[in-house]
Amino acid sequence: MKTVRIYQLNHLAPMLFRRLKEAQMEAAQVWNCCMEMHKQARLEHTPWPGRNELQQVTKGRFALHSQSVQMIVHAFLANIATTRELRKTHPHMRMKYPWRTKRFYPVHWPAQAVSKEKGRVVLPMGKGRKSLVLPLDLPENSGACALVWNRGFELHVCVEIPQAEASPGGAQATVDLGEIHLATITTSTSNALIVTGRGIRSIKHQRSKQLGQLAKKQSRCKKYSRRWKKLHCAKNKQCRRAERRIRDLRHKSTRQVIDFCVKNKVGTLFIGNPHGVRNQDKGRHHNQRMWLWEYGKDIDYLSHKAKQAHIMSFTGSERGTNSRCPVCGHKYKPKGRNWACRACGFRGHRDLVGSVNMHLDAFGTHLKFPRSFTYLRPGPVRSRSSRADTPQCCLSESAAQPRIMDTVSSETGHTADGAQKPVSL
């Protein structure tokens, strides 16, 4: 199985930086050529150009490797096919075919065009042109590469990783994605896990505050002045740092979900898609949190890791699952993290209620509400901060243990251990 490893290209020489920039601008010209040809065919109501026509038009015209040009053409045709499918299945999205000209576009090299030497990687730019040489030590099992701009150049390398052995489990599980709790999963064996996303939420909040402070200072400067450029670089630095931390926590969170599925022998995984929650206007603060919620990446990460673990995964709508009682079916929109039914007196965790109700929608089975669940954090961003002022002697030597949370039974009103109230999160 293949995965992508990201290498940041920092402290590049000015000449190399300019060559990377020119390569992406040349790749954008290939995309624009395909877009103009396809747009003209749509306007004239003539047959759309296919793979052979686009490759013939772009052959030998651009200062790129021939296979890099072909990969851009393949990406353009994949975009056309996806847009056509979405226009048929989801007309309310009003998807448009590519129509806007690009100035930059990522450059791709297949595995057979990449040369790996000791301590460096050579990326060809075509016959008669000097190749790009990057000071990177790639692993032996690396393959295709892509030059991407993400507030700084990055090299995305495709790496072959060993795939896990097939899991013989036949259990079923559902995942309820959230902005506060990143993932809530319940299995058909009444086991449950909640992975919090408050760490990701706090990093996004910190990034927004820092960007607001820098933007306020930048507004008092003359555009493109020396101080304006310094503040702009500071904004990019903060965004890149926050993005790396968020990506690290997201990988750790989704890995905990898949490990939980493997441990409980789950063979089929349903991932709820919360599409449509952003259409509700709940105030500027809540709207900002909703638009910063990257649930699409959570779905992609879970699907990729589930495939690696030989778990069949699929997605679907989760509409109405959080507002329906799992015992009596009474519909009610709760406030807060605890769900309290006004009809039968059931009480439980709100996200856990949504995950349990997904079993009825996805698999057609009514699941009994779990008596307890495990509450986990994704883990630290790094092992130990160099600026932490906590003495080493005050730190615990043993690893943190997961907290086992209890839910309230719908029949007795007591928790599993006999307490009168559930532990609040």
Side-chain angles (χ1 to χ4, degrees):
M1 188 173 180
K2 296 181 179 180
T3 186
V4 177
R5 185 174 297 177
I6 300 177
Y7 294 87
Q8 294 185 6
L9 305 179
N10 298 326
H11 309 293
L12 296 174
M15 179 65 71
L16 181 58
F17 186 90
R18 184 165 61 252
R19 291 195 61 197
L20 297 180
K21 183 178 179 180
E22 292 174 355
Q24 287 199 341
M25 294 179 68
E26 197 71 15
Q29 294 300 323
V30 179
W31 177 278
N32 295 337
C33 179
C34 298
M35 183 269 298
E36 292 293 344
M37 188 174 178
H38 192 272
K39 183 179 179 181
Q40 184 178 1
R42 297 199 311 268
L43 294 177
E44 296 177 356
H45 301 284
T46 57
W48 292 357
R51 175 178 175 180
N52 296 332
E53 291 82 358
L54 293 177
Q55 289 184 357
Q56 190 67 26
V57 171
T58 57
K59 184 177 180 181
R61 291 181 51 187
F62 303 96
L64 291 174
H65 193 265
S66 59
Q67 294 182 352
S68 298
V69 175
Q70 292 177 8
M71 295 187 74
I72 298 175
V73 173
H74 297 170
F76 178 82
L77 294 176
N79 189 306
I80 295 296
T82 303
T83 305
R84 178 188 296 178
E85 183 66 23
L86 290 177
R87 287 169 66 94
K88 291 181 180 179
T89 57
H90 299 81
H92 61 277
M93 297 178 65
R94 300 180 180 179
M95 294 294 296
K96 294 183 179 180
Y97 290 105
W99 59 276
R100 183 177 298 175
T101 57
K102 297 181 180 293
R103 189 182 177 191
F104 300 97
Y105 192 80
V107 187
H108 298 264
W109 289 271
Q112 56 192 11
V114 179
S115 300
K116 298 183 290 292
E117 300 178 3
K118 187 176 181 180
R120 67 175 190 169
V121 55
V122 181
L123 305 175
M125 294 299 294
K127 187 176 180 180
R129 286 181 288 271
K130 189 177 179 181
S131 302
L132 296 174
V133 180
L134 301 177
L136 295 175
D137 190 8
L138 299 183
E140 293 296 333
N141 56 348
S142 61
C145 299
L147 180 65
V148 181
W149 173 266
N150 186 17
R151 291 186 172 87
F153 283 111
E154 295 178 349
L155 188 67
H156 294 192
V157 182
C158 186
V159 180
E160 187 75 22
I161 59 175
Q163 195 168 3
E165 298 181 357
S167 176
Q172 299 170 342
T174 57
V175 178
D176 178 59
L177 301 178
E179 194 259 340
I180 295 180
H181 294 132
L182 188 139
T184 303
I185 177 172
T186 56
T187 65
S188 55
T189 56
S190 296
N191 295 323
L193 171 71
I194 295 179
V195 182
T196 180
R198 294 183 185 273
I200 296 177
R201 191 184 190 190
S202 63
I203 294 175
K204 292 180 179 180
H205 186 209
Q206 181 188 27
R207 179 184 59 185
S208 300
K209 291 184 65 176
Q210 292 173 344
L211 292 181
Q213 294 173 0
L214 292 173
K216 184 177 181 180
K217 295 179 180 179
Q218 199 175 22
S219 63
R220 295 194 292 263
C221 302
K222 184 178 179 180
K223 196 172 184 179
Y224 302 117
S225 62
R226 183 177 299 178
R227 178 167 174 77
W228 187 92
K229 291 181 180 179
K230 287 184 178 180
L231 293 172
H232 189 71
C233 292
K235 291 170 65 175
N236 290 337
K237 183 178 179 181
Q238 294 294 339
C239 289
R240 293 185 67 185
R241 181 174 182 269
E243 182 179 354
R244 292 194 300 267
R245 297 172 66 191
I246 292 172
R247 183 172 58 203
D248 177 67
L249 290 178
R250 178 170 284 112
H251 273 294
K252 291 178 179 178
S253 302
T254 53
R255 172 52 58 192
Q256 288 182 344
V257 172
I258 299 302
D259 290 345
F260 178 80
C261 293
V262 173
K263 181 179 179 181
N264 290 273
K265 298 182 179 182
V266 173
T268 307
L269 180 66
F270 173 79
I271 306 173
N273 190 344
H275 179 72
V277 69
R278 295 176 176 173
N279 299 333
Q280 303 176 3
D281 187 8
K282 300 295 184 178
R284 63 187 184 94
H285 294 289
H286 182 74
N287 293 343
Q288 183 185 25
R289 289 192 294 267
M290 288 293 100
W291 282 105
L292 291 178
W293 180 21
E294 301 168 323
Y295 60 84
K297 291 186 178 180
D298 298 333
I299 297 176
D300 292 340
Y301 286 15
L302 288 173
S303 302
H304 180 79
K305 289 179 172 61
K307 181 180 179 181
Q308 182 183 0
H310 296 279
I311 298 176
M312 195 275 288
S313 63
F314 63 101
T315 61
S317 176
E318 62 172 22
R319 184 177 179 86
T321 54
N322 287 337
S323 58
R324 186 172 72 243
C325 179
V327 178
C328 65
H330 175 70
K331 292 185 177 180
Y332 163 67
K333 291 186 178 180
K335 294 182 179 180
R337 307 316 307 169
N338 292 327
W339 211 100
C341 182
R342 297 180 177 180
C344 65
F346 165 80
R347 297 179 66 87
H349 196 279
R350 177 179 177 179
D351 295 333
L352 203 60
V353 169
S355 181
V356 169
N357 288 331
M358 286 182 189
H359 281 266
L360 185 61
D361 299 341
F363 306 110
T365 58
H366 183 77
L367 183 66
K368 185 178 179 181
F369 197 81
R371 295 180 61 88
S372 63
F373 63 90
T374 306
Y375 187 88
L376 292 179
R377 296 183 178 90
V381 180
R382 49 177 175 246
S383 59
R384 184 176 182 272
S385 174
S386 58
R387 293 176 292 179
D389 44 0
T390 303
Q392 187 67 25
C393 60
C394 298
L395 299 177
S396 176
E397 297 180 358
S398 60
Q401 299 296 327
R403 294 187 294 166
I404 306 298
M405 312 299 290
D406 296 316
T407 57
V408 178
S409 173
S410 59
E411 299 177 356
T412 61
H414 289 67
T415 58
D417 58 354
Q420 292 292 333
K421 295 182 179 180
V423 181
S424 59
L425 299 180

